Structure formats: structure tokens, C-alpha cells
PDB file of all heavy atoms in Angstrom:
ATOM      1  N   LEU A 131      -2.982 -13.806  -0.081  1.00 98.00           N
ATOM      2  CA  LEU A 131      -2.073 -14.004  -1.220  1.00 98.00           C
ATOM      3  C   LEU A 131      -0.935 -12.989  -1.189  1.00 98.00           C
ATOM      4  O   LEU A 131       0.218 -13.324  -1.458  1.00 98.00           O
ATOM      5  CB  LEU A 131      -2.853 -13.856  -2.526  1.00 98.00           C
ATOM      6  CG  LEU A 131      -3.267 -15.115  -3.287  1.00 98.00           C
ATOM      7  CD1 LEU A 131      -4.056 -14.736  -4.526  1.00 98.00           C
ATOM      8  CD2 LEU A 131      -2.060 -15.957  -3.670  1.00 98.00           C
ATOM      9  N   HIS A 132      -1.267 -11.753  -0.858  1.00 98.00           N
ATOM     10  CA  HIS A 132      -0.244 -10.719  -0.711  1.00 98.00           C
ATOM     11  C   HIS A 132       0.767 -11.128   0.353  1.00 98.00           C
ATOM     12  O   HIS A 132       1.981 -11.042   0.146  1.00 98.00           O
ATOM     13  CB  HIS A 132      -0.928  -9.404  -0.337  1.00 98.00           C
ATOM     14  CG  HIS A 132      -0.014  -8.327   0.119  1.00 98.00           C
ATOM     15  ND1 HIS A 132       0.775  -7.587  -0.736  1.00 98.00           N
ATOM     16  CD2 HIS A 132       0.250  -7.843   1.358  1.00 98.00           C
ATOM     17  CE1 HIS A 132       1.470  -6.715  -0.047  1.00 98.00           C
ATOM     18  NE2 HIS A 132       1.182  -6.842   1.227  1.00 98.00           N
ATOM     19  N   ASP A 133       0.270 -11.594   1.486  1.00 97.00           N
ATOM     20  CA  ASP A 133       1.158 -12.005   2.576  1.00 97.00           C
ATOM     21  C   ASP A 133       1.994 -13.220   2.201  1.00 97.00           C
ATOM     22  O   ASP A 133       3.089 -13.414   2.736  1.00 97.00           O
ATOM     23  CB  ASP A 133       0.338 -12.301   3.836  1.00 97.00           C
ATOM     24  CG  ASP A 133      -0.323 -11.057   4.418  1.00 97.00           C
ATOM     25  OD1 ASP A 133       0.104  -9.936   4.059  1.00 97.00           O
ATOM     26  OD2 ASP A 133      -1.274 -11.203   5.213  1.00 97.00           O
ATOM     27  N   ALA A 134       1.476 -14.042   1.280  1.00 97.00           N
ATOM     28  CA  ALA A 134       2.206 -15.232   0.845  1.00 97.00           C
ATOM     29  C   ALA A 134       3.292 -14.905  -0.180  1.00 97.00           C
ATOM     30  O   ALA A 134       4.056 -15.801  -0.551  1.00 97.00           O
ATOM     31  CB  ALA A 134       1.235 -16.257   0.262  1.00 97.00           C
ATOM     32  N   GLY A 135       3.357 -13.648  -0.643  1.00 97.00           N
ATOM     33  CA  GLY A 135       4.501 -13.250  -1.442  1.00 97.00           C
ATOM     34  C   GLY A 135       4.261 -12.972  -2.903  1.00 97.00           C
ATOM     35  O   GLY A 135       5.238 -12.804  -3.651  1.00 97.00           O
ATOM     36  N   VAL A 136       2.994 -12.878  -3.366  1.00 98.00           N
ATOM     37  CA  VAL A 136       2.805 -12.474  -4.763  1.00 98.00           C
ATOM     38  C   VAL A 136       3.197 -11.012  -4.910  1.00 98.00           C
ATOM     39  O   VAL A 136       3.162 -10.230  -3.952  1.00 98.00           O
ATOM     40  CB  VAL A 136       1.351 -12.701  -5.235  1.00 98.00           C
ATOM     41  CG1 VAL A 136       0.983 -14.166  -5.180  1.00 98.00           C
ATOM     42  CG2 VAL A 136       0.354 -11.845  -4.459  1.00 98.00           C
ATOM     43  N   PHE A 137       3.568 -10.632  -6.115  1.00 98.00           N
ATOM     44  CA  PHE A 137       4.060  -9.282  -6.356  1.00 98.00           C
ATOM     45  C   PHE A 137       2.939  -8.283  -6.630  1.00 98.00           C
ATOM     46  O   PHE A 137       3.196  -7.085  -6.718  1.00 98.00           O
ATOM     47  CB  PHE A 137       5.059  -9.293  -7.509  1.00 98.00           C
ATOM     48  CG  PHE A 137       6.397  -9.843  -7.098  1.00 98.00           C
ATOM     49  CD1 PHE A 137       6.664 -11.202  -7.200  1.00 98.00           C
ATOM     50  CD2 PHE A 137       7.372  -9.020  -6.578  1.00 98.00           C
ATOM     51  CE1 PHE A 137       7.887 -11.716  -6.794  1.00 98.00           C
ATOM     52  CE2 PHE A 137       8.597  -9.523  -6.170  1.00 98.00           C
ATOM     53  CZ  PHE A 137       8.856 -10.875  -6.276  1.00 98.00           C
ATOM     54  N   GLY A 138       1.732  -8.758  -6.762  1.00 98.00           N
ATOM     55  CA  GLY A 138       0.596  -7.901  -7.023  1.00 98.00           C
ATOM     56  C   GLY A 138      -0.523  -8.738  -7.594  1.00 98.00           C
ATOM     57  O   GLY A 138      -0.458  -9.980  -7.609  1.00 98.00           O
ATOM     58  N   PHE A 139      -1.575  -8.068  -8.097  1.00 98.00           N
ATOM     59  CA  PHE A 139      -2.795  -8.749  -8.498  1.00 98.00           C
ATOM     60  C   PHE A 139      -3.206  -8.312  -9.892  1.00 98.00           C
ATOM     61  O   PHE A 139      -3.418  -7.124 -10.148  1.00 98.00           O
ATOM     62  CB  PHE A 139      -3.919  -8.443  -7.503  1.00 98.00           C
ATOM     63  CG  PHE A 139      -3.625  -8.981  -6.133  1.00 98.00           C
ATOM     64  CD1 PHE A 139      -2.905  -8.215  -5.227  1.00 98.00           C
ATOM     65  CD2 PHE A 139      -4.014 -10.249  -5.764  1.00 98.00           C
ATOM     66  CE1 PHE A 139      -2.595  -8.710  -3.970  1.00 98.00           C
ATOM     67  CE2 PHE A 139      -3.701 -10.757  -4.517  1.00 98.00           C
ATOM     68  CZ  PHE A 139      -2.991  -9.995  -3.614  1.00 98.00           C
ATOM     69  N   LYS A 140      -3.342  -9.305 -10.775  1.00 98.00           N
ATOM     70  CA  LYS A 140      -3.773  -9.022 -12.140  1.00 98.00           C
ATOM     71  C   LYS A 140      -5.287  -9.115 -12.226  1.00 98.00           C
ATOM     72  O   LYS A 140      -5.905 -10.050 -11.708  1.00 98.00           O
ATOM     73  CB  LYS A 140      -3.153  -9.992 -13.134  1.00 98.00           C
ATOM     74  CG  LYS A 140      -3.563  -9.682 -14.573  1.00 98.00           C
ATOM     75  CD  LYS A 140      -2.859 -10.552 -15.586  1.00 98.00           C
ATOM     76  CE  LYS A 140      -3.210 -10.089 -17.003  1.00 98.00           C
ATOM     77  NZ  LYS A 140      -2.491 -10.877 -18.024  1.00 98.00           N
ATOM     78  N   ALA A 141      -5.873  -8.149 -12.936  1.00 98.00           N
ATOM     79  CA  ALA A 141      -7.298  -8.155 -13.203  1.00 98.00           C
ATOM     80  C   ALA A 141      -7.533  -7.868 -14.673  1.00 98.00           C
ATOM     81  O   ALA A 141      -6.784  -7.121 -15.303  1.00 98.00           O
ATOM     82  CB  ALA A 141      -8.007  -7.118 -12.341  1.00 98.00           C
ATOM     83  N   PHE A 142      -8.589  -8.449 -15.210  1.00 98.00           N
ATOM     84  CA  PHE A 142      -9.066  -8.153 -16.553  1.00 98.00           C
ATOM     85  C   PHE A 142     -10.316  -7.294 -16.443  1.00 98.00           C
ATOM     86  O   PHE A 142     -11.166  -7.535 -15.576  1.00 98.00           O
ATOM     87  CB  PHE A 142      -9.420  -9.442 -17.300  1.00 98.00           C
ATOM     88  CG  PHE A 142      -8.262 -10.130 -17.954  1.00 98.00           C
ATOM     89  CD1 PHE A 142      -7.354 -10.856 -17.198  1.00 98.00           C
ATOM     90  CD2 PHE A 142      -8.086 -10.077 -19.324  1.00 98.00           C
ATOM     91  CE1 PHE A 142      -6.290 -11.503 -17.793  1.00 98.00           C
ATOM     92  CE2 PHE A 142      -7.021 -10.716 -19.931  1.00 98.00           C
ATOM     93  CZ  PHE A 142      -6.112 -11.434 -19.167  1.00 98.00           C
ATOM     94  N   LEU A 143     -10.460  -6.346 -17.346  1.00 98.00           N
ATOM     95  CA  LEU A 143     -11.682  -5.555 -17.433  1.00 98.00           C
ATOM     96  C   LEU A 143     -12.600  -6.050 -18.533  1.00 98.00           C
ATOM     97  O   LEU A 143     -13.733  -5.574 -18.655  1.00 98.00           O
ATOM     98  CB  LEU A 143     -11.343  -4.072 -17.665  1.00 98.00           C
ATOM     99  CG  LEU A 143     -10.430  -3.427 -16.621  1.00 98.00           C
ATOM    100  CD1 LEU A 143     -10.399  -1.918 -16.815  1.00 98.00           C
ATOM    101  CD2 LEU A 143     -10.845  -3.782 -15.205  1.00 98.00           C
ATOM    102  N   SER A 144     -12.130  -7.023 -19.322  1.00 98.00           N
ATOM    103  CA  SER A 144     -12.920  -7.672 -20.369  1.00 98.00           C
ATOM    104  C   SER A 144     -12.604  -9.158 -20.304  1.00 98.00           C
ATOM    105  O   SER A 144     -11.651  -9.570 -19.628  1.00 98.00           O
ATOM    106  CB  SER A 144     -12.554  -7.089 -21.737  1.00 98.00           C
ATOM    107  OG  SER A 144     -11.163  -7.214 -21.977  1.00 98.00           O
ATOM    108  N   PRO A 145     -13.381 -10.007 -20.968  1.00 98.00           N
ATOM    109  CA  PRO A 145     -13.147 -11.456 -20.869  1.00 98.00           C
ATOM    110  C   PRO A 145     -11.700 -11.829 -21.186  1.00 98.00           C
ATOM    111  O   PRO A 145     -11.106 -11.359 -22.162  1.00 98.00           O
ATOM    112  CB  PRO A 145     -14.126 -12.037 -21.884  1.00 98.00           C
ATOM    113  CG  PRO A 145     -15.255 -11.056 -21.887  1.00 98.00           C
ATOM    114  CD  PRO A 145     -14.602  -9.710 -21.748  1.00 98.00           C
ATOM    115  N   SER A 146     -11.153 -12.714 -20.345  1.00 97.00           N
ATOM    116  CA  SER A 146      -9.739 -13.081 -20.447  1.00 97.00           C
ATOM    117  C   SER A 146      -9.460 -14.107 -21.530  1.00 97.00           C
ATOM    118  O   SER A 146      -8.309 -14.285 -21.937  1.00 97.00           O
ATOM    119  CB  SER A 146      -9.253 -13.636 -19.107  1.00 97.00           C
ATOM    120  OG  SER A 146      -9.824 -14.916 -18.865  1.00 97.00           O
ATOM    121  N   GLY A 147     -10.494 -14.845 -21.944  1.00 96.00           N
ATOM    122  CA  GLY A 147     -10.311 -15.919 -22.899  1.00 96.00           C
ATOM    123  C   GLY A 147     -10.320 -17.292 -22.273  1.00 96.00           C
ATOM    124  O   GLY A 147     -10.401 -18.296 -22.985  1.00 96.00           O
ATOM    125  N   VAL A 148     -10.231 -17.357 -20.929  1.00 97.00           N
ATOM    126  CA  VAL A 148     -10.322 -18.641 -20.229  1.00 97.00           C
ATOM    127  C   VAL A 148     -11.381 -18.510 -19.132  1.00 97.00           C
ATOM    128  O   VAL A 148     -11.430 -17.514 -18.414  1.00 97.00           O
ATOM    129  CB  VAL A 148      -8.968 -19.084 -19.639  1.00 97.00           C
ATOM    130  CG1 VAL A 148      -7.987 -19.432 -20.753  1.00 97.00           C
ATOM    131  CG2 VAL A 148      -8.366 -18.029 -18.733  1.00 97.00           C
ATOM    132  N   ASP A 149     -12.221 -19.518 -19.018  1.00 97.00           N
ATOM    133  CA  ASP A 149     -13.387 -19.438 -18.134  1.00 97.00           C
ATOM    134  C   ASP A 149     -13.012 -19.319 -16.663  1.00 97.00           C
ATOM    135  O   ASP A 149     -13.754 -18.716 -15.879  1.00 97.00           O
ATOM    136  CB  ASP A 149     -14.277 -20.664 -18.327  1.00 97.00           C
ATOM    137  CG  ASP A 149     -14.939 -20.697 -19.694  1.00 97.00           C
ATOM    138  OD1 ASP A 149     -15.011 -19.626 -20.342  1.00 97.00           O
ATOM    139  OD2 ASP A 149     -15.359 -21.791 -20.124  1.00 97.00           O
ATOM    140  N   GLU A 150     -11.870 -19.902 -16.272  1.00 98.00           N
ATOM    141  CA  GLU A 150     -11.520 -19.932 -14.846  1.00 98.00           C
ATOM    142  C   GLU A 150     -10.944 -18.607 -14.352  1.00 98.00           C
ATOM    143  O   GLU A 150     -10.640 -18.474 -13.160  1.00 98.00           O
ATOM    144  CB  GLU A 150     -10.552 -21.079 -14.556  1.00 98.00           C
ATOM    145  CG  GLU A 150      -9.186 -20.949 -15.184  1.00 98.00           C
ATOM    146  CD  GLU A 150      -9.101 -21.446 -16.617  1.00 98.00           C
ATOM    147  OE1 GLU A 150     -10.148 -21.867 -17.177  1.00 98.00           O
ATOM    148  OE2 GLU A 150      -7.982 -21.407 -17.174  1.00 98.00           O
ATOM    149  N   PHE A 151     -10.804 -17.621 -15.240  1.00 98.00           N
ATOM    150  CA  PHE A 151     -10.287 -16.317 -14.829  1.00 98.00           C
ATOM    151  C   PHE A 151     -11.208 -15.226 -15.378  1.00 98.00           C
ATOM    152  O   PHE A 151     -10.882 -14.520 -16.333  1.00 98.00           O
ATOM    153  CB  PHE A 151      -8.856 -16.105 -15.326  1.00 98.00           C
ATOM    154  CG  PHE A 151      -8.073 -15.096 -14.522  1.00 98.00           C
ATOM    155  CD1 PHE A 151      -7.221 -15.502 -13.506  1.00 98.00           C
ATOM    156  CD2 PHE A 151      -8.197 -13.734 -14.770  1.00 98.00           C
ATOM    157  CE1 PHE A 151      -6.501 -14.579 -12.758  1.00 98.00           C
ATOM    158  CE2 PHE A 151      -7.483 -12.794 -14.041  1.00 98.00           C
ATOM    159  CZ  PHE A 151      -6.638 -13.224 -13.029  1.00 98.00           C
ATOM    160  N   PRO A 152     -12.406 -15.062 -14.764  1.00 98.00           N
ATOM    161  CA  PRO A 152     -13.358 -14.063 -15.268  1.00 98.00           C
ATOM    162  C   PRO A 152     -12.908 -12.640 -14.987  1.00 98.00           C
ATOM    163  O   PRO A 152     -12.108 -12.381 -14.085  1.00 98.00           O
ATOM    164  CB  PRO A 152     -14.649 -14.403 -14.521  1.00 98.00           C
ATOM    165  CG  PRO A 152     -14.221 -15.135 -13.304  1.00 98.00           C
ATOM    166  CD  PRO A 152     -12.955 -15.862 -13.662  1.00 98.00           C
ATOM    167  N   HIS A 153     -13.470 -11.717 -15.760  1.00 98.00           N
ATOM    168  CA  HIS A 153     -13.091 -10.305 -15.624  1.00 98.00           C
ATOM    169  C   HIS A 153     -13.912  -9.638 -14.531  1.00 98.00           C
ATOM    170  O   HIS A 153     -14.921 -10.165 -14.054  1.00 98.00           O
ATOM    171  CB  HIS A 153     -13.250  -9.577 -16.950  1.00 98.00           C
ATOM    172  CG  HIS A 153     -14.662  -9.424 -17.426  1.00 98.00           C
ATOM    173  ND1 HIS A 153     -15.397 -10.473 -17.938  1.00 98.00           N
ATOM    174  CD2 HIS A 153     -15.476  -8.346 -17.469  1.00 98.00           C
ATOM    175  CE1 HIS A 153     -16.591 -10.047 -18.287  1.00 98.00           C
ATOM    176  NE2 HIS A 153     -16.681  -8.756 -18.010  1.00 98.00           N
ATOM    177  N   LEU A 154     -13.447  -8.453 -14.138  1.00 98.00           N
ATOM    178  CA  LEU A 154     -14.120  -7.676 -13.107  1.00 98.00           C
ATOM    179  C   LEU A 154     -15.050  -6.650 -13.746  1.00 98.00           C
ATOM    180  O   LEU A 154     -14.677  -5.976 -14.718  1.00 98.00           O
ATOM    181  CB  LEU A 154     -13.098  -6.937 -12.233  1.00 98.00           C
ATOM    182  CG  LEU A 154     -12.072  -7.780 -11.475  1.00 98.00           C
ATOM    183  CD1 LEU A 154     -11.175  -6.864 -10.633  1.00 98.00           C
ATOM    184  CD2 LEU A 154     -12.736  -8.828 -10.597  1.00 98.00           C
ATOM    185  N   SER A 155     -16.240  -6.511 -13.182  1.00 98.00           N
ATOM    186  CA  SER A 155     -17.147  -5.433 -13.570  1.00 98.00           C
ATOM    187  C   SER A 155     -16.607  -4.119 -13.010  1.00 98.00           C
ATOM    188  O   SER A 155     -15.696  -4.111 -12.164  1.00 98.00           O
ATOM    189  CB  SER A 155     -18.534  -5.692 -13.003  1.00 98.00           C
ATOM    190  OG  SER A 155     -18.511  -5.553 -11.575  1.00 98.00           O
ATOM    191  N   PRO A 156     -17.136  -2.970 -13.442  1.00 98.00           N
ATOM    192  CA  PRO A 156     -16.688  -1.700 -12.856  1.00 98.00           C
ATOM    193  C   PRO A 156     -16.809  -1.668 -11.340  1.00 98.00           C
ATOM    194  O   PRO A 156     -15.893  -1.182 -10.651  1.00 98.00           O
ATOM    195  CB  PRO A 156     -17.595  -0.672 -13.536  1.00 98.00           C
ATOM    196  CG  PRO A 156     -17.886  -1.263 -14.879  1.00 98.00           C
ATOM    197  CD  PRO A 156     -18.021  -2.743 -14.617  1.00 98.00           C
ATOM    198  N   ALA A 157     -17.901  -2.183 -10.791  1.00 98.00           N
ATOM    199  CA  ALA A 157     -18.058  -2.193  -9.332  1.00 98.00           C
ATOM    200  C   ALA A 157     -17.042  -3.111  -8.676  1.00 98.00           C
ATOM    201  O   ALA A 157     -16.492  -2.800  -7.604  1.00 98.00           O
ATOM    202  CB  ALA A 157     -19.476  -2.613  -8.954  1.00 98.00           C
ATOM    203  N   GLU A 158     -16.762  -4.257  -9.310  1.00 98.00           N
ATOM    204  CA  GLU A 158     -15.780  -5.190  -8.757  1.00 98.00           C
ATOM    205  C   GLU A 158     -14.370  -4.627  -8.852  1.00 98.00           C
ATOM    206  O   GLU A 158     -13.545  -4.856  -7.954  1.00 98.00           O
ATOM    207  CB  GLU A 158     -15.886  -6.531  -9.470  1.00 98.00           C
ATOM    208  CG  GLU A 158     -17.164  -7.287  -9.122  1.00 98.00           C
ATOM    209  CD  GLU A 158     -17.476  -8.413 -10.088  1.00 98.00           C
ATOM    210  OE1 GLU A 158     -16.974  -8.397 -11.238  1.00 98.00           O
ATOM    211  OE2 GLU A 158     -18.246  -9.314  -9.701  1.00 98.00           O
ATOM    212  N   LEU A 159     -14.070  -3.891  -9.920  1.00 98.00           N
ATOM    213  CA  LEU A 159     -12.769  -3.229 -10.019  1.00 98.00           C
ATOM    214  C   LEU A 159     -12.589  -2.250  -8.869  1.00 98.00           C
ATOM    215  O   LEU A 159     -11.524  -2.200  -8.244  1.00 98.00           O
ATOM    216  CB  LEU A 159     -12.639  -2.506 -11.361  1.00 98.00           C
ATOM    217  CG  LEU A 159     -11.382  -1.645 -11.533  1.00 98.00           C
ATOM    218  CD1 LEU A 159     -10.122  -2.509 -11.550  1.00 98.00           C
ATOM    219  CD2 LEU A 159     -11.479  -0.801 -12.804  1.00 98.00           C
ATOM    220  N   GLU A 160     -13.612  -1.476  -8.583  1.00 98.00           N
ATOM    221  CA  GLU A 160     -13.549  -0.522  -7.473  1.00 98.00           C
ATOM    222  C   GLU A 160     -13.306  -1.249  -6.154  1.00 98.00           C
ATOM    223  O   GLU A 160     -12.493  -0.825  -5.329  1.00 98.00           O
ATOM    224  CB  GLU A 160     -14.852   0.273  -7.407  1.00 98.00           C
ATOM    225  CG  GLU A 160     -14.849   1.383  -6.390  1.00 98.00           C
ATOM    226  CD  GLU A 160     -14.527   2.746  -6.997  1.00 98.00           C
ATOM    227  OE1 GLU A 160     -14.604   2.892  -8.221  1.00 98.00           O
ATOM    228  OE2 GLU A 160     -14.194   3.657  -6.220  1.00 98.00           O
ATOM    229  N   ALA A 161     -14.017  -2.364  -5.965  1.00 98.00           N
ATOM    230  CA  ALA A 161     -13.854  -3.125  -4.727  1.00 98.00           C
ATOM    231  C   ALA A 161     -12.447  -3.703  -4.619  1.00 98.00           C
ATOM    232  O   ALA A 161     -11.825  -3.669  -3.547  1.00 98.00           O
ATOM    233  CB  ALA A 161     -14.901  -4.241  -4.661  1.00 98.00           C
ATOM    234  N   ALA A 162     -11.936  -4.248  -5.719  1.00 98.00           N
ATOM    235  CA  ALA A 162     -10.582  -4.808  -5.702  1.00 98.00           C
ATOM    236  C   ALA A 162      -9.555  -3.723  -5.410  1.00 98.00           C
ATOM    237  O   ALA A 162      -8.632  -3.919  -4.603  1.00 98.00           O
ATOM    238  CB  ALA A 162     -10.277  -5.472  -7.039  1.00 98.00           C
ATOM    239  N   ALA A 163      -9.705  -2.565  -6.044  1.00 98.00           N
ATOM    240  CA  ALA A 163      -8.748  -1.474  -5.836  1.00 98.00           C
ATOM    241  C   ALA A 163      -8.773  -0.992  -4.393  1.00 98.00           C
ATOM    242  O   ALA A 163      -7.713  -0.736  -3.790  1.00 98.00           O
ATOM    243  CB  ALA A 163      -9.070  -0.321  -6.787  1.00 98.00           C
ATOM    244  N   THR A 164      -9.957  -0.877  -3.830  1.00 98.00           N
ATOM    245  CA  THR A 164     -10.070  -0.445  -2.430  1.00 98.00           C
ATOM    246  C   THR A 164      -9.396  -1.442  -1.503  1.00 98.00           C
ATOM    247  O   THR A 164      -8.654  -1.065  -0.580  1.00 98.00           O
ATOM    248  CB  THR A 164     -11.549  -0.275  -2.056  1.00 98.00           C
ATOM    249  OG1 THR A 164     -12.147   0.698  -2.921  1.00 98.00           O
ATOM    250  CG2 THR A 164     -11.697   0.169  -0.611  1.00 98.00           C
ATOM    251  N   GLU A 165      -9.634  -2.720  -1.755  1.00 98.00           N
ATOM    252  CA  GLU A 165      -9.039  -3.771  -0.922  1.00 98.00           C
ATOM    253  C   GLU A 165      -7.519  -3.779  -1.055  1.00 98.00           C
ATOM    254  O   GLU A 165      -6.793  -3.834  -0.050  1.00 98.00           O
ATOM    255  CB  GLU A 165      -9.614  -5.125  -1.339  1.00 98.00           C
ATOM    256  CG  GLU A 165      -9.108  -6.300  -0.522  1.00 98.00           C
ATOM    257  CD  GLU A 165      -9.702  -7.633  -0.968  1.00 98.00           C
ATOM    258  OE1 GLU A 165     -10.569  -7.636  -1.875  1.00 98.00           O
ATOM    259  OE2 GLU A 165      -9.284  -8.671  -0.421  1.00 98.00           O
ATOM    260  N   ILE A 166      -6.998  -3.711  -2.274  1.00 98.00           N
ATOM    261  CA  ILE A 166      -5.561  -3.765  -2.500  1.00 98.00           C
ATOM    262  C   ILE A 166      -4.874  -2.534  -1.929  1.00 98.00           C
ATOM    263  O   ILE A 166      -3.795  -2.622  -1.330  1.00 98.00           O
ATOM    264  CB  ILE A 166      -5.281  -3.947  -3.999  1.00 98.00           C
ATOM    265  CG1 ILE A 166      -5.770  -5.325  -4.457  1.00 98.00           C
ATOM    266  CG2 ILE A 166      -3.793  -3.791  -4.307  1.00 98.00           C
ATOM    267  CD1 ILE A 166      -5.836  -5.495  -5.970  1.00 98.00           C
ATOM    268  N   ALA A 167      -5.507  -1.379  -2.086  1.00 98.00           N
ATOM    269  CA  ALA A 167      -4.936  -0.158  -1.503  1.00 98.00           C
ATOM    270  C   ALA A 167      -4.854  -0.265   0.007  1.00 98.00           C
ATOM    271  O   ALA A 167      -3.917   0.263   0.632  1.00 98.00           O
ATOM    272  CB  ALA A 167      -5.777   1.058  -1.900  1.00 98.00           C
ATOM    273  N   GLY A 168      -5.793  -0.971   0.607  1.00 98.00           N
ATOM    274  CA  GLY A 168      -5.833  -1.088   2.068  1.00 98.00           C
ATOM    275  C   GLY A 168      -4.627  -1.790   2.650  1.00 98.00           C
ATOM    276  O   GLY A 168      -4.232  -1.497   3.790  1.00 98.00           O
ATOM    277  N   PHE A 169      -4.030  -2.718   1.904  1.00 97.00           N
ATOM    278  CA  PHE A 169      -2.829  -3.381   2.432  1.00 97.00           C
ATOM    279  C   PHE A 169      -1.569  -3.007   1.652  1.00 97.00           C
ATOM    280  O   PHE A 169      -0.531  -3.659   1.765  1.00 97.00           O
ATOM    281  CB  PHE A 169      -3.002  -4.911   2.514  1.00 97.00           C
ATOM    282  CG  PHE A 169      -3.413  -5.604   1.243  1.00 97.00           C
ATOM    283  CD1 PHE A 169      -2.512  -5.792   0.199  1.00 97.00           C
ATOM    284  CD2 PHE A 169      -4.701  -6.122   1.098  1.00 97.00           C
ATOM    285  CE1 PHE A 169      -2.884  -6.463  -0.952  1.00 97.00           C
ATOM    286  CE2 PHE A 169      -5.083  -6.794  -0.053  1.00 97.00           C
ATOM    287  CZ  PHE A 169      -4.170  -6.966  -1.086  1.00 97.00           C
ATOM    288  N   GLY A 170      -1.652  -1.943   0.863  1.00 97.00           N
ATOM    289  CA  GLY A 170      -0.463  -1.445   0.167  1.00 97.00           C
ATOM    290  C   GLY A 170      -0.028  -2.286  -0.994  1.00 97.00           C
ATOM    291  O   GLY A 170       1.172  -2.366  -1.288  1.00 97.00           O
ATOM    292  N   GLY A 171      -0.966  -2.917  -1.676  1.00 98.00           N
ATOM    293  CA  GLY A 171      -0.627  -3.799  -2.784  1.00 98.00           C
ATOM    294  C   GLY A 171      -0.592  -3.097  -4.126  1.00 98.00           C
ATOM    295  O   GLY A 171      -0.744  -1.880  -4.232  1.00 98.00           O
ATOM    296  N   LEU A 172      -0.417  -3.878  -5.156  1.00 98.00           N
ATOM    297  CA  LEU A 172      -0.275  -3.402  -6.526  1.00 98.00           C
ATOM    298  C   LEU A 172      -1.312  -4.095  -7.399  1.00 98.00           C
ATOM    299  O   LEU A 172      -1.458  -5.319  -7.369  1.00 98.00           O
ATOM    300  CB  LEU A 172       1.138  -3.710  -7.034  1.00 98.00           C
ATOM    301  CG  LEU A 172       1.434  -3.511  -8.523  1.00 98.00           C
ATOM    302  CD1 LEU A 172       1.233  -2.059  -8.930  1.00 98.00           C
ATOM    303  CD2 LEU A 172       2.859  -3.965  -8.835  1.00 98.00           C
ATOM    304  N   LEU A 173      -2.033  -3.303  -8.200  1.00 98.00           N
ATOM    305  CA  LEU A 173      -3.035  -3.800  -9.136  1.00 98.00           C
ATOM    306  C   LEU A 173      -2.490  -3.656 -10.548  1.00 98.00           C
ATOM    307  O   LEU A 173      -2.095  -2.556 -10.952  1.00 98.00           O
ATOM    308  CB  LEU A 173      -4.332  -3.000  -8.975  1.00 98.00           C
ATOM    309  CG  LEU A 173      -5.475  -3.287  -9.951  1.00 98.00           C
ATOM    310  CD1 LEU A 173      -6.019  -4.697  -9.762  1.00 98.00           C
ATOM    311  CD2 LEU A 173      -6.593  -2.246  -9.776  1.00 98.00           C
TER     312      LEU A 173
END
């Protein structure tokens, strides 16, 4: 997605209000941040 041109990645730490966009747990936030940092992205 980063390579396809999005400007960064939105995450919720609590329920978003819509079922198709669930929030990240603390462990998942850490994993997302590590992954995004690896390719120089923005969270």
C-alpha cells in the first residue's frame, strides 16, 4: 500500500465504530509501528 502511493497508515487504538475497521491491540500497534518504520512510513 505504501508503494502504491498512500500517504501513511491510520490506526485506531479503540473501536472505530464500524466493524470493517477494527482497532489495534497494544501488541498489534507495536507490530504495525515496527513494520511501518521499516519502510520509512507514517503512522
Side-chain angles (χ1 to χ4, degrees):
L131 258 179
H132 168 76
D133 293 343
V136 298
F137 284 90
F139 296 87
K140 182 175 186 177
F142 276 76
L143 303 191
S144 56
S146 71
V148 292
D149 292 341
E150 66 275 3
F151 203 96
H153 67 286
L154 300 182
S155 69
E158 290 164 339
L159 174 66
E160 186 97 16
T164 301
E165 182 180 356
I166 293 167
F169 54 74
L172 170 61
L173 175 66

